[in-house]
Amino acid sequence: MVYPSWMEFANEDGSPAIRMVGRTGSVHAVSNAKVEGTKLTFEDGSVRWQLVVKDRKLTGQIPDGQVTGVPAPLLNHAAPTAWSTPEPLFSGHDLTGWEPDNPAGNHWIAQNGELQNLEAGANIRTTNKFADFKLHIEYNCPRGGNSGVYLRGRYEVQVEYEPPDKNDAFHAMGSIYGFIPPATQVDARPGQWEGYDVTLVGRNVTVVRDGVLIIDKADIPGITGGAIDSREGEPGPIYLQGDHTGGLKYRNITISVPQR
């Protein structure tokens, strides 16, 4: 089994500073980072990482298995001059064009023109994949709910109405989970319909929530926890998180792509 991760290596006053994202969870700093020649070691909680850098690749070992890593692509895409007419991703009638990651645990249904997750279980993604796009998606999140809209299956736009003291701005509604907080607060409306309009070009993202600009052309450093893979240079699906809580509903999901 291969699991995606992300790592950032920086030099702070002559000492290595490392942030990482594991298979799940948020970006966080590691401890006891040390560089000796081509060898890099650090600790992530109780797990000790031992890596070697050679030919612009990382290889190494952790208790759970082997680690390999390559430099992330820059994704410096030029902004499109025109976009296609929005196309629906969800018919409102059935799950055509969508597939759960765990069919045995799937609780997603199409009902009343809505894509509903009846209880925590499978996540669901589009069968089509996209590079740069403009996404419109409407969501209805109950009080206590937690979901997310993953762009290319890798970058989560958070959807949550958990207790106010549970999540800081980097993990709250409208954030790019762990990396980019919303710059403007929008009043909470649990159990009501709201919407995101997201533009993703390369790794540059703009998010509008209910007509309010909350993230303005910000670069996403890397994948967020729960990403389907770490192949950032490839197109990916729209991926809805369903393994946290049930009760989430989505509708009116459309996408535009650059006109060539």
Side-chain angles (χ1 to χ4, degrees):
M1 186 69 72
V2 177
Y3 298 112
S5 297
W6 173 87
M7 181 187 302
E8 176 188 74
F9 184 97
N11 187 321
E12 292 187 358
D13 299 324
S15 298
I18 296 174
R19 295 193 302 167
M20 70 173 296
V21 174
R23 181 173 27 161
T24 60
S26 183
V27 61
H28 57 277
V30 305
S31 59
N32 299 324
K34 185 180 297 185
V35 175
E36 295 178 341
T38 61
K39 296 182 179 180
L40 170 65
T41 60
F42 60 85
E43 295 172 4
D44 181 31
S46 61
V47 178
R48 181 170 176 78
W49 291 59
Q50 302 180 74
L51 306 173
V52 174
V53 182
K54 184 179 180 181
D55 299 329
R56 291 179 56 78
K57 293 182 180 179
L58 284 174
T59 58
Q61 194 77 26
I62 58 174
D64 289 343
Q66 295 182 329
V67 177
T68 59
V70 296
L74 294 177
L75 300 182
N76 289 332
H77 297 182
T81 56
W83 295 88
S84 67
T85 300
E87 296 285 342
L89 293 179
F90 171 57
S91 69
H93 306 295
D94 56 37
L95 299 184
T96 299
W98 294 80
E99 58 185 9
D101 61 359
N102 174 20
N106 180 47
H107 303 294
W108 292 92
I109 64 169
Q111 190 172 74
N112 301 325
E114 302 163 359
L115 184 55
Q116 301 179 5
N117 188 28
L118 301 182
E119 61 181 279
N123 307 301
I124 196 167
R125 70 184 76 175
T126 59
T127 54
N128 287 334
K129 297 181 179 181
F130 307 94
D132 297 337
F133 57 79
K134 283 189 172 185
L135 172 72
H136 174 79
I137 185 166
E138 296 173 13
Y139 57 90
N140 185 317
C141 180
R143 192 176 304 278
N146 185 312
S147 180
V149 179
Y150 281 76
L151 314 176
R152 297 194 201 115
R154 302 183 185 106
Y155 316 117
E156 181 186 6
V157 184
Q158 175 72 303
V159 176
E160 64 83 28
Y161 275 134
E162 294 181 306
D165 59 350
K166 182 169 183 178
N167 296 309
D168 61 17
F170 284 86
H171 304 88
M173 181 75 83
S175 65
I176 303 299
Y177 191 78
F179 281 123
I180 306 171
T184 304
Q185 295 300 312
V186 178
D187 289 342
R189 292 195 289 137
Q192 299 183 46
W193 285 102
E194 306 178 64
Y196 285 140
D197 289 282
V198 182
T199 302
L200 183 66
V201 177
R203 60 175 68 254
N204 189 269
V205 67
T206 294
V207 181
V208 176
R209 177 182 171 196
D210 278 353
V212 179
L213 180 65
I214 60 172
I215 296 176
D216 187 13
K217 297 179 180 177
D219 285 338
I220 307 173
I223 66 169
T224 58
I228 61 172
D229 63 45
S230 54
R231 298 190 293 272
E232 293 186 83
E234 299 180 8
I238 304 303
Y239 178 62
L240 304 180
Q241 189 177 63
D243 60 1
H244 281 27
T245 67
L248 272 295
K249 303 175 184 178
Y250 293 92
R251 71 181 185 187
N252 295 337
I253 309 171
T254 64
I255 201 161
S256 302
V257 297
Q259 286 188 340
R260 302 299 183 190

